[in-house]
Amino acid sequence: QVHLVESGGGSVQAGGSLKLSCAVSGLAHSRAWFRQAPAKEREGVAQIDTNGHTIYADSVKDRFIISQDSANGTLHLQMNSLKPEDTAMYYCAADPGWSRSLASWNFAFWGQGTQVTVSS
């Protein structure tokens, strides 16, 4: 069983930065951030595995950075140069498997989400 608790969401103006964190307890080789805007499907943002390999959605590449704290297992998402279209509920997700994917069906465990709002 893996338990996830997100924090760090909030409101920011376009061009600003926010850092999301997710406390992860339990074994999870694959961890990721997803987001879902109103009336849109959930989309994968970034994924990292235990070895530190990462993948990013094209829409956030070169702006967002996913990382994990090896000491306590906390997952982070540093979001820079934020745009209004980044506004969404952000979820962290985890899975004991080793898949390298941003497909939501590859992740068995999910946090409750944290809201990010970017104003123009």
Side-chain angles (χ1 to χ4, degrees), residues 6 16 42 49-50 60-61 66-67 69 82 92 101 109 114:
E6 302 99 335
R42 188 171 296 189
D49 67 21
T50 304
V60 305
K61 204 171 291 183
I66 188 171
S67 63
D69 188 328
L82 282 160
C92 64
S101 168
F109 300 97
T114 186

Side-chain angles (χ1 to χ4, degrees), residues 8-27:
S11 298
V12 65
Q13 287 192 325
S17 299
L18 279 175
K19 185 174 184 178
L20 306 182
S21 297
C22 177
V24 181
S25 61
L27 178 63

Side-chain angles (χ1 to χ4, degrees), residues 59-80:
S59 58
V60 305
K61 204 171 291 183
D62 299 327
R63 298 190 299 123
F64 290 10
I65 301 171
I66 188 171
S67 63
Q68 55 194 1
D69 188 328
S70 58
N72 58 26
T74 301
L75 181 68
H76 300 286
L77 184 69
Q78 177 66 46
M79 304 184 294
N80 302 317

Side-chain angles (χ1 to χ4, degrees), residues 1 5 13 19 25 43 47 52 58 82 96 98 101 105 118:
Q1 191 75 9
V5 180
Q13 287 192 325
K19 185 174 184 178
S25 61
E43 64 168 338
Q47 185 259 355
D58 288 342
L82 282 160
W98 282 94
S101 168
W105 55 82
V118 185

Side-chain angles (χ1 to χ4, degrees), residues 3-7 22-23 33 42 89-93 109-115:
H3 188 57
L4 306 163
V5 180
E6 302 99 335
S7 61
C22 177
W33 288 96
R42 188 171 296 189
M89 185 72 78
Y90 283 71
Y91 300 89
C92 64
F109 300 97
W110 294 80
Q112 292 189 327
T114 186
Q115 178 68 37

